């Protein structure tokens, strides 16, 4: 069993890539809906939640964990690995490396939660992979909550997206990294604003490939999916078609 988790619905964008790459694997997806969003919480609070979810998934038989959340990875992936030395853990980190490799203008942007934007891990990633590339980090408070509430067409969100993205484009940014898994569900809205001026960088497919490398026998299960949540698990099931993930619903047990 492969355990995948996020603060809420965002990690479903990673789960979709995992299901594409590992069609016969069995998954439990855990959404921490009682504590979403993580982006405005302290490192201690996020670590405490990540360790509790790790325990939950391990006790349900997960032999591989995917932290489908940039915020949780930046603040707590090491603590999770220390707590479960026998379980491989795949984290999700903003795609600074591919963006820095692909940029032609030498300027890239990272959209992230406040916690990720302020994390030492993000600074480390930038130092390690961005070299001479100029990186603009843009915290986007409230965006994950809009996704969580399935308010993807809210005009206030569209206006905020425009307010944050236009100045980045004016600075010459040509790659925009989606540094929060919730933002994958805002890709249509972001693409509308960005047009041909920049490309969005999402690492979900790369995370799925890394998980496949570690999956071994876990790749050969029964293709089942369980959804768990710390609050309102029924909303998770109902959200799948709203997020264009109806095809995943057929795997539900
Ligand atoms: N989906 C999460 C991420 O990738 C966190 C969103 C939130 O809970 O603030 O960062």
């Amino acid at each position: 069993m492969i355990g995948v988790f996020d603060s809420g619905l965002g990690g479903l964008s990673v789960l979709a890539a995992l299901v594409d790459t590992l069609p016969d694997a069995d998954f439990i997806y855990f959404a921490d809906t009682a504590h979403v969003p993580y982006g405005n919480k302290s490192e201690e609070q996020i670590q405490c939640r990540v360790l509790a979810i790790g325990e939950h998934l391990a006790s349900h038989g997960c032999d591989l964990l995917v932290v489908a959340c940039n915020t949780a990875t930046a603040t707590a992936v090491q603590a999770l690995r220390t707590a479960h030395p026998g379980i491989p853990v795949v984290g999700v980190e903003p795609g600074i490396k591919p963006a820095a490799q692909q940029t032609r203008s030498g300027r890239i942007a990272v959209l992230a939660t406040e916690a990720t934007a302020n994390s030492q891990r993000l600074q480390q990633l930038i130092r390690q992979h961005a070299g001479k590339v100029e990186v603009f980090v843009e915290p986007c408070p409230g965006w994950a909550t809009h996704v969580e509430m399935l308010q993807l067409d809210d005009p206030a969100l569209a206006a905020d997206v425009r307010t944050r993205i236009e100045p980045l484009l004016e600075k010459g940014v040509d790659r925009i990294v989606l540094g929060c898994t919730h933002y994958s569900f805002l890709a249509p809205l972001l693409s509308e604003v960005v047009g041909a001026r920049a490309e969005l960088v999402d690492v979900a497919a790369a995370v799925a490939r890394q998980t496949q490398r570690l999956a071994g026998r876990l790749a050969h299960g029964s293709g089942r999916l369980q959804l768990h949540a710390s609050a309102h698990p029924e909303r998770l099931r109902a959200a799948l078609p709203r997020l264009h993930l109806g095809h995943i619903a057929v795997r539900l047990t």
Side-chain angles (χ1 to χ4, degrees):
M1 188 81 77
I2 301 176
V4 184
F5 70 92
D6 178 43
S7 58
L9 303 178
L12 290 171
S13 58
V14 177
L15 180 69
L18 287 165
V19 164
D20 275 352
T21 308
L22 292 159
D24 298 324
D26 296 318
F27 294 98
I28 297 179
Y29 181 86
F30 185 98
D32 198 7
T33 35
H35 302 94
V36 68
Y38 282 177
N40 59 6
K41 298 205 165 44
S42 69
E43 277 190 21
E44 291 71 24
Q45 287 172 312
I46 298 167
Q47 276 200 15
C48 177
R49 290 309 306 152
V50 167
L51 292 177
I53 296 166
E55 282 303 322
H56 173 89
L57 292 172
S59 72
H60 281 77
C62 293
D63 312 302
L64 172 58
L65 297 177
V66 180
V67 186
C69 175
N70 293 263
T71 308
T73 302
T75 52
V77 77
Q78 290 312 335
L80 185 63
R81 289 191 172 120
T82 305
H84 301 278
I87 301 184
V89 177
V90 179
V92 173
E93 298 196 298
I96 306 285
K97 188 176 176 183
Q101 284 169 344
Q102 293 160 12
T103 180
R104 297 212 180 94
S105 66
R107 293 178 163 201
I108 67 172
V110 187
L111 310 178
T113 66
E114 293 149 284
T116 301
N118 294 327
S119 68
Q120 286 183 10
R121 180 61 192 153
L122 183 63
Q123 288 313 317
Q124 197 182 340
L125 276 177
I126 292 172
R127 275 199 304 276
Q128 197 176 341
H129 298 298
K132 295 201 177 84
V133 170
E134 201 169 350
V135 183
F136 299 91
V137 178
E138 182 70 27
C140 305
W143 287 17
T145 302
H146 271 93
V147 174
E148 214 50 40
M149 312 288 281
L150 298 173
Q151 294 169 339
L152 303 177
D153 301 324
D154 184 347
L157 172 65
D160 193 45
V161 165
R162 203 167 280 284
T163 307
R164 290 182 188 281
I165 300 299
E166 283 294 352
L168 296 170
L169 295 170
E170 277 160 26
K171 284 177 184 139
V173 157
D174 70 350
R175 293 292 181 280
I176 298 179
V177 177
L178 305 184
C180 168
T181 53
H182 280 75
Y183 303 168
S184 300
F185 295 112
L186 300 179
L189 184 57
L190 286 161
S191 298
E192 223 176 274
V193 175
V194 167
R197 293 180 284 176
E199 279 179 30
L200 304 179
V201 178
D202 191 336
V203 297
V207 169
R209 286 193 297 275
Q210 171 64 1
T211 307
Q212 186 182 36
R213 282 192 278 276
L214 297 174
R217 63 177 174 80
L218 298 177
H220 312 292
S222 315
R224 286 176 308 197
L225 169 65
Q226 295 173 43
L227 296 178
H228 294 187
S230 50
H232 310 298
E234 70 289 347
R235 282 198 205 155
L236 208 52
R237 180 181 284 255
L240 292 179
R242 298 283 307 278
L243 297 172
H244 306 290
L245 299 175
H247 59 289
I248 288 182
V250 297
R251 301 164 61 106
L252 288 173
T253 57

